[in-house]
Amino acid sequence: MRPPPGQLAMFDAPSPERAPAPGPTRLPSREDALPRAAALARRVSALLGLPVHLRLTDNRATLVSFRRLPEGVRLRMHHLFLDAPEPVVRAIAGYVAGEAGAGEVLEAFSHAHQDQVRRERRPGAPLRSRGRCFDLRAVHARLDAAWFDGRVHGVEVGWARRPGRRTRRTIHLGGYDARLREVRLHPALDKPHVPAFVVDYLVFHALLHADMASSDADRDSDDTGRCAAEHSPEFQAREAAFPLRESAWRWLLEHLASLRRG
């Protein structure tokens, strides 16, 4: 069951008042990044003597990671390394090869270019899990144990900050931020008339994004930190197993107007 266009948005891009400010922390354009990334991959490949598949990220938590495969090396790297000088490129190859000291070189380079790394949540705005009606930390723990075998215990779940007091055509009920590993739900859902199964479903949906992004980051994650707009067949099959999913959607659509009012 899908929401009508222009009325209800779930796990969508941030609304305008919450959108990240433009600046040097964003990924470079695809046209600009692709040739530079290809050149960097060739340099690392030559040093390793192995094929290198490079994917750029905007992940502030893990700036460089790799996976050895039969056909070569899959390398994920923050875009700040695109124009790295030769000593740093050698350190990247050394890091993959397990050379002592390579990690320190990469850490020093990233520290010198920390202005290119996206910042965490703004200071003074901690994620709040306990609301007036629902404790999202308890909901998270219960769902994690029942549906994910404890795999998403490291994800934080809490209430988003209350938006300005005006009626909108859309409402962003919740979302998973892959950069911060956070789930945030709209505070309009923290009301006595909202059924617990609706909150359960929204948290489950977000945790499913987190679980699938963790299990296959190269396929499912979005390097801007947002959930992918589409849901894969595997995602839809797992979500369909959640009880009362259709009932949750019906309730949300029936109460859309009151939710938009907050």
Side-chain angles (χ1 to χ4, degrees):
M1 187 173 189
R2 295 296 175 212
Q7 291 191 357
L8 188 82
M10 219 179 95
F11 305 96
D12 201 348
S15 54
E17 68 272 18
R18 294 293 303 238
T25 59
R26 302 305 301 275
L27 274 166
S29 69
R30 182 179 178 86
E31 294 76 12
D32 177 48
L34 278 179
R36 294 157 64 195
L40 179 57
R42 286 194 296 269
R43 293 164 69 189
V44 177
S45 176
L47 290 167
L48 288 172
L50 293 169
V52 171
H53 173 75
L54 175 62
R55 175 161 182 168
L56 295 178
T57 78
D58 197 21
N59 189 328
R60 65 168 181 83
T62 305
L63 299 183
V64 180
S65 64
F66 67 92
R67 183 186 303 173
R68 290 186 176 275
L69 301 170
E71 62 272 20
V73 175
R74 183 173 296 171
L75 184 62
R76 291 172 60 86
M77 185 182 305
H78 195 280
H79 62 81
L80 70 87
F81 290 98
L82 268 178
D83 298 314
E86 187 62 26
V88 177
V89 176
R90 290 186 176 277
I92 293 169
Y95 182 71
V96 175
E99 293 179 7
E104 286 77 2
V105 175
L106 300 183
E107 185 176 350
F109 182 79
S110 63
H111 181 74
H113 296 78
Q114 59 184 335
D115 60 315
Q116 294 180 253
V117 180
R118 190 188 296 270
R119 294 180 179 178
E120 298 185 24
R121 189 190 324 115
R122 290 176 297 171
L127 196 61
R128 178 178 59 89
S129 62
R130 185 180 292 276
R132 290 189 300 171
C133 301
F134 296 99
D135 182 353
L136 295 183
R137 182 173 298 175
V139 174
H140 173 204
R142 174 166 47 79
L143 294 176
D144 186 23
W147 292 90
F148 301 99
D149 296 325
R151 291 190 302 273
V152 291
H153 69 279
V155 176
E156 290 190 67
V157 181
W159 296 103
R161 298 182 69 183
R162 186 170 295 279
R165 298 291 298 178
R166 70 176 187 271
T167 301
R168 296 177 175 83
R169 285 181 52 79
T170 63
I171 178 171
H172 298 273
L173 296 175
Y176 170 62
D177 188 320
R179 292 173 291 106
L180 301 180
R181 286 182 59 76
E182 285 182 354
V183 171
R184 291 185 291 271
L185 260 60
H186 197 289
L189 296 160
D190 188 28
K191 299 290 179 62
H193 70 280
V194 177
F197 69 83
V198 171
V199 174
D200 280 6
Y201 165 68
L202 293 174
V203 174
F204 170 80
H205 183 108
L207 292 177
L208 185 53
H209 273 292
D211 186 47
M212 295 190 67
S214 298
S215 63
D216 193 347
D218 286 323
R219 183 188 65 192
D220 295 318
S221 64
D222 181 334
D223 293 327
T224 65
R226 298 190 297 266
C227 290
E230 68 279 352
H231 297 123
S232 68
E234 180 186 357
F235 184 102
Q236 294 180 36
R238 291 181 62 181
E239 186 189 44
F242 193 76
L244 298 179
R245 180 191 64 155
E246 298 297 330
S247 297
W249 266 118
R250 282 195 296 271
W251 188 94
L252 288 167
L253 293 173
E254 289 170 3
H255 293 81
L256 174 62
S258 63
L259 290 172
R260 286 205 310 259
R261 289 194 296 268

